[in-house]
Amino acid sequence: MMKVLSALDADESGTIEEAEIKNAVAALRKLDVNHDGKLTEDEVGMKFMGPQNTGAAYSSAIAIDFGGQHQYVQLLAMTVAGVSAADGKLLWRYDKPANSMHINISTPLYHDGYVFAASAYGAGGGLARLVKKETGEFAAEEVWFSKSMENHHGGVILHDGALFGANGGNGGGYPACLDFKTGEVLWNERDSDKRRVTKGSVAFADDRIYYRTEEGPIVLIEPSRKEYLERGRFAQPERADKPAWAHPVIANGKLYIRDQDTLFCYDIKAK
């Protein structure tokens, strides 16, 4: 029973909130394929753990080159996996970053032979080292796994050997910075009494992180391994009453912010 309650408490706040219960119910309904109100062995059994039965989640795919093989990497419903770009053959998989709810949203990150992926709903973030064996087969070997980067959907950025992103689920969260190679927490905004910014989504340009909080304010952050450095912020006008989940987009010196039925464009070119 305690494990079940822990799984429901997606943001590890110690309180199971209404949104977390609703998400759990929605996930269970998705498993009920024949809609009879019961979960059978065929619907939740081990046969669904095979790579061939690992369907898509919400995460985007990325293209990488490793071991002489062009690959597509994607965080799927039950694993993060690499497949051959030539024929779709499964090359490797790493299960731990995928949550039990199959609601995996953030895009994986690849750098120098390592893949990082994360999700919320009680999961977390993990770094795996890709290897190519003498037989020509590929594998993903876990380097570290942490509950301190339980990234819901805002994305994670790698800069100066550190991961920058938000840690937290439907119950909220805060920005955090972890060492890429070790998973060590370099800093976070966990202390609610001193927190300057809450959970949000990220974009990177010109050595700055453009951080869009769920409440709406857009914050400019200087990426630092030592501390949270805020260099500016502004409040988006005409804010909707729903969480701001759309990622900020930067192109050609313009910052684009979408909020439900509105789209804002800001000139951020250097003057």
Side-chain angles (χ1 to χ4, degrees):
M1 177 61 72
M2 292 303 295
K3 288 184 178 180
V4 172
L5 293 177
S6 177
L8 287 174
D9 185 18
D11 63 353
E12 298 181 297
S13 65
T15 302
I16 299 174
E17 301 174 1
E18 182 181 356
E20 292 171 324
I21 295 175
K22 287 182 177 178
N23 284 326
V25 171
L28 291 173
R29 284 176 176 168
K30 287 183 179 179
L31 291 176
D32 185 17
V33 178
N34 60 4
H35 307 294
D36 64 353
K38 300 177 182 179
L39 294 179
T40 66
E41 181 66 22
D42 286 338
E43 290 170 327
V44 299
M46 289 301 293
K47 75 172 189 176
F48 284 94
M49 294 304 291
Q52 69 275 18
N53 294 309
T54 298
Y58 302 87
S59 173
S60 297
I62 61 172
I64 73 168
D65 289 290
F66 177 80
Q69 178 81 59
H70 192 51
Q71 308 178 20
Y72 295 126
V73 177
Q74 188 169 12
L75 180 55
L76 303 169
M78 292 183 283
T79 189
V80 55
V83 301
S84 168
D87 57 13
K89 177 185 176 182
L90 178 72
L91 300 175
W92 56 267
R93 64 181 290 168
Y94 173 40
D95 295 353
K96 197 178 290 187
N99 62 72
S100 60
M101 309 290 284
H102 302 175
I103 306 175
N104 304 304
I105 306 171
S106 291
T107 301
L109 188 152
Y110 172 79
H111 176 69
D112 197 23
Y114 292 84
V115 171
F116 174 81
S119 71
Y121 304 97
L127 184 73
R129 182 174 69 93
L130 301 184
V131 296
K132 186 176 182 180
K133 303 177 182 178
E134 292 182 359
T135 60
E137 296 179 335
F138 290 85
E141 300 177 347
E142 183 175 272
V143 179
W144 57 263
F145 187 86
S146 174
K147 305 282 282 188
S148 296
M149 187 59 84
E150 190 176 327
N151 193 259
H152 191 190
H153 50 66
V156 177
I157 288 170
L158 173 62
H159 179 76
D160 191 24
L163 295 167
F164 297 85
N167 180 40
N170 281 324
Y174 47 85
C177 176
L178 275 61
D179 184 84
F180 180 66
K181 287 295 182 69
T182 68
E184 175 191 0
V185 177
L186 302 177
W187 58 260
N188 62 42
E189 288 283 293
R190 183 170 184 171
D191 190 341
S192 58
D193 294 333
K194 302 176 182 178
R195 188 178 300 168
R196 288 157 288 187
V197 66
T198 56
K199 174 186 159 204
S201 54
V202 294
F204 185 85
D206 299 323
D207 293 324
R208 291 292 184 269
I209 296 172
Y210 290 78
Y211 189 95
R212 201 256 184 105
T213 66
E214 284 192 339
E215 289 81 3
I218 290 84
V219 182
L220 187 66
I221 299 172
E222 178 181 344
S224 167
R225 294 174 57 91
K226 296 181 179 180
E227 59 185 325
Y228 171 81
L229 296 176
E230 184 174 317
R231 298 309 188 196
R233 71 165 60 200
F234 68 90
Q236 174 218 309
E238 301 179 41
R239 265 290 290 133
D241 59 358
K242 296 179 174 60
W245 283 359
H247 287 217
V249 173
I250 299 168
N252 303 317
K254 301 291 193 300
L255 168 66
Y256 296 91
I257 300 293
R258 184 174 69 83
D259 186 2
Q260 305 303 317
D261 296 328
T262 59
L263 178 65
F264 298 88
C265 178
Y266 296 89
D267 186 356
I268 56 172
K269 287 183 180 179
K271 302 299 183 183

